[in-house]
Amino acid sequence: MKVTYNWLKDFVDIRLEPEALAEKLTMAGLEVKAIDRFEDDFVFEIEITSNRPDWLSVIGVAREVAALTGKKLRVTRAQERKSARAQVKSEYSRAVVIIEDKKACPLYSARVISDVQIGPLPEWMATRLRSIGLRPINNVVGITNYVLFATGQPLHAFDLDKIAGAKISVRFAKDGEEIVTIDGVRRKLSRDILVIADENTPQAIAGIMGGKDTEVNESTRNILLESAYFSPALTRKACRILALSSDSSYRFERSVDITRVINSSDLAAGLIQKYAQGKIAGLYQSG
């Protein structure tokens, strides 16, 4: 996993030089395998042990830095979720969500955000993503990626207008179903694979990758923001069947913190409201 010195400083007041901080982290069990320079920042490549999924986020590592240095973990501009629930300004809140297997998906949230203006990310956020090797695509997709790496909670934004019937079903795939994922590959699905489907076809492989048909692009105006908890065992199995993995599945396989599911949605919604002028509608929450 990659985190950067400046990104950690967003959350904790670090006075140590990067090399000294890397040594402290390594001694604490977060082995820093390499330090690379990126513009005016330093990128730490950290080996995360399988029993510490809480370290698969910048905030998780920052919490450890705070404990090691005696500093306080602080809230910064990344925590702009204060008004996400209160500011329900849009009447565009149509969406039906059905969870068919609550063992496979104990918690699912879906939030409609309308009238988004697709454009570039703010430069500070684009820099954070570029520093860990991600290409900023647009403001909405970039924000979901930013929140994923900041908090460890994967999110997915669907183009709501491309979801047939504005209906979401979290279900297992049917024999013969297929999906073209956002990487442009057509994939055959099976009954062991959990999907997010509209009233016609699968539109995402749960916890792994979204579908091409509903991806957010420059023509998108209304989105459905997903934040959920998917079974680690089912995610691992689907990754193995499909020979497919992603930054999201890496975290779901190791179990995300279920208490962060809604908070991370709040955070992303607040950022989309600020940087894409979206109007936040109601929150659907199962579980």
Side-chain angles (χ1 to χ4, degrees):
M1 175 180 162
K2 292 182 178 180
V3 300
T4 81
Y5 184 74
N6 286 344
W7 202 344
L8 289 169
K9 287 178 71 175
D10 286 346
F11 298 101
V12 63
D13 183 19
I14 302 172
R15 301 297 176 88
L16 296 172
E17 293 297 316
E19 293 77 9
L21 177 61
E23 184 177 355
K24 267 193 174 293
L25 288 171
T26 298
M27 294 299 291
L30 286 89
E31 182 186 357
V32 179
K33 299 170 62 178
I35 304 177
D36 295 314
R37 191 73 184 256
F38 176 83
E39 296 179 1
D40 63 346
D41 203 353
F42 296 87
V43 182
F44 296 176
E45 186 174 346
I46 302 178
E47 183 73 29
I48 305 296
T49 56
S50 59
N51 65 325
R52 295 302 303 265
D54 57 306
W55 286 341
L56 290 172
S57 68
V58 178
I59 290 175
V61 177
R63 184 174 288 109
E64 194 70 23
V65 172
L68 290 170
T69 60
K71 300 294 185 179
K72 185 177 179 180
L73 188 71
R74 65 169 178 253
V75 173
T76 70
R77 61 187 172 187
Q79 308 296 91
E80 296 173 4
R81 62 182 179 87
K82 57 186 177 183
S83 61
R85 295 192 196 184
Q87 297 187 19
V88 179
K89 296 181 177 179
S90 173
E91 295 181 0
Y92 193 106
S93 56
R94 60 178 179 85
V96 177
V97 180
I98 299 170
I99 313 299
E100 294 193 1
D101 190 322
K102 290 191 176 181
K103 288 185 178 180
C105 179
L107 178 57
Y108 188 92
S109 72
R111 172 179 268 127
V112 171
I113 306 176
S114 64
D115 299 329
V116 296
Q117 303 298 310
I118 303 299
L121 271 176
E123 186 54 33
W124 70 266
M125 194 182 297
T127 298
R128 293 288 181 265
L129 295 182
R130 285 195 298 266
S131 69
I132 58 172
L134 291 183
R135 180 173 63 88
I137 298 172
N138 58 52
N139 47 4
V140 169
V141 174
I143 286 167
T144 62
N145 283 331
Y146 174 82
V147 173
L148 160 64
F149 285 95
T151 71
Q153 172 62 42
L155 305 169
H156 186 67
F158 297 89
D159 187 321
L160 181 58
D161 296 308
K162 296 175 183 175
I163 295 176
K167 178 181 177 181
I168 286 291
S169 295
V170 183
R171 62 168 174 81
F172 286 95
K174 302 170 185 176
D175 286 336
E177 284 190 316
E178 296 182 336
I179 184 174
V180 177
T181 43
I182 56 174
D183 57 2
V185 177
R186 182 174 296 277
R187 303 181 188 278
K188 293 183 179 180
L189 304 172
S190 70
R191 294 183 185 180
D192 296 314
I193 298 172
L194 194 69
V195 299
I196 314 301
D198 62 16
E199 65 179 13
N200 295 328
T201 58
Q203 297 299 338
I205 303 169
I208 303 176
M209 191 172 289
K212 192 76 174 172
D213 288 347
T214 54
E215 78 173 327
V216 172
N217 57 35
E218 63 276 0
S219 67
T220 299
R221 290 296 172 264
N222 305 291
I223 66 171
L224 186 78
L225 180 66
E226 168 193 283
S227 184
Y229 182 98
F230 298 115
S231 161
L234 284 174
T235 305
R236 280 193 297 271
K237 188 173 185 179
C239 287
R240 187 168 60 251
I241 291 170
L242 295 168
L244 176 66
S245 63
S246 65
D247 290 319
S248 293
S249 67
Y250 187 78
R251 286 157 178 80
F252 280 123
E253 285 183 75
R254 288 154 180 79
S255 186
V256 299
D257 182 350
I258 199 167
T259 66
R260 282 187 176 175
V261 170
I262 303 303
N263 285 349
S264 295
S265 176
D266 289 346
L267 168 56
L271 291 169
I272 291 169
Q273 182 182 61
K274 181 172 183 177
Y275 295 114
Q277 293 75 56
K279 297 176 183 176
I280 302 169
L283 174 72
Y284 169 88
Q285 178 182 338
S286 75

